[in-house]
Amino acid sequence: MNAMNLIAVKSLVPVVVIEDAAKALPLAQTLFDAGIQSIEITLRTDAAMDALETITKASTGLAVGAGSVVSPEQLIRVQAAGADFAVSPGSTSRLLDEAEKQRFPLVPGAATASEVMNLLDRGYTLQKFFPAEPLGGLAMIQALAAPIQSVRFFPTGGINASLAATYLRDPSIHCLGGSWFVPKASLAAGEFEAIARLAKEAQSIALSAAG
C-alpha cells in the first residue's frame, strides 16, 4: 500500500521523540481525541521501539509511522512491531529495495531535483522534505514542485504553528510534520492536558487550511 493512502491529505502528523515508553499510549490517545489521525515516532531513543509496539498493539485509531528509518534492518524491525508506514530523512538503494521487497509503505526523503526525480522513477509520489526550514522552507518546495508537478511533499523540521497554515495551503503539500504541539517537556512531565490543548489548536489550523 502507498503511504499516501495512510496519511490524510492536508493533515498534521506529530513527529514525536519518546524517552519513556509508558507515555506512549496516553499520548496516542490524547492526540487521537484531539482529532489527529496519524503519528510519527522517531527511532532516536532506546524507548522508541517499545513505544511504537505499545501503540500499535492498542489499536488507538492512529495510523502509526516510524520515523528516522535509515536502514533495511530498521525497516524490518518496525514492520514486525506493527507500524503502518515508515519515514526516512533520505533514501538509499538498499532501503528502497527492502521496502519494495516487503511491500511496506515508505515515505523516503528528497531535497534536490535529482533525488525527487529518482524517487518518482521508483513510484514514490509522496516524499519527505527534511529539514524543511533550514533547506529553504516552502519556497524551496515550490521551486522543486514547479517543474516536477507529480510529487507531493511531507515536510518536517523547523515548522511551527505560525508557518503551518501557509505550508498546508500549498497544492504540493500532502501533509505536514511537526513537534511544536507535543513539547518534550510536557511529554516528559506527563502533562497530557496541555498537549491536548496544543494538539486541538494545531488541528484547527489544519482544518482551516484544508477548507
Side-chain angles (χ1 to χ4, degrees):
M1 181 183 290
N2 192 314
M4 188 176 283
N5 298 325
L6 296 169
I7 308 172
V9 66
K10 300 301 179 184
S11 65
L12 278 175
V13 181
V15 180
V16 182
V17 178
I18 297 180
E19 300 281 356
D20 179 1
K23 302 288 198 317
L25 191 54
L27 173 63
Q29 194 61 58
T30 296
L31 293 171
F32 182 75
D33 291 345
I36 302 296
Q37 299 175 59
S38 55
I39 186 171
E40 177 186 329
I41 300 171
T42 64
L43 303 186
R44 301 184 188 182
T45 68
D46 292 339
M49 287 299 302
D50 286 342
L52 178 69
E53 194 165 4
T54 296
I55 296 173
T56 58
K57 284 184 175 179
S59 301
T60 59
L62 292 172
V64 183
S68 302
V69 174
V70 297
S71 71
E73 294 76 18
Q74 285 182 320
L75 190 76
I76 291 169
R77 287 184 66 203
V78 300
Q79 183 180 24
D84 297 301
F85 62 95
V87 184
S88 179
S91 69
T92 66
S93 295
R94 291 180 64 239
L95 180 61
L96 298 176
D97 288 346
E98 189 64 39
E100 291 160 18
K101 176 183 174 182
Q102 301 296 335
R103 298 182 180 274
F104 189 68
L106 172 68
V107 184
T112 67
S114 293
E115 290 171 352
V116 170
M117 292 165 64
N118 283 327
L119 289 174
L120 284 173
D121 277 350
R122 297 191 66 152
Y124 290 97
T125 306
L126 179 60
Q127 302 177 19
K128 181 166 183 172
F129 184 74
F130 170 86
E133 281 297 295
L135 286 176
L138 185 57
M140 182 61 176
I141 290 173
Q142 290 170 333
L144 289 168
I148 314 172
Q149 298 182 3
S150 57
V151 67
R152 292 295 177 269
F153 287 103
F154 175 178
T156 71
I159 300 169
N160 55 35
S162 65
L163 297 171
T166 304
Y167 270 91
L168 286 168
R169 290 192 187 101
D170 191 272
S172 66
I173 303 298
H174 178 79
C175 59
L176 184 68
S179 57
W180 78 88
F181 50 101
V182 187
K184 284 185 178 181
S186 296
L187 180 56
E191 296 172 345
F192 295 107
E193 289 186 7
I195 292 172
R197 176 178 54 79
L198 291 171
K200 288 175 183 177
E201 291 173 357
Q203 180 67 356
S204 68
I205 294 172
L207 292 173
S208 175

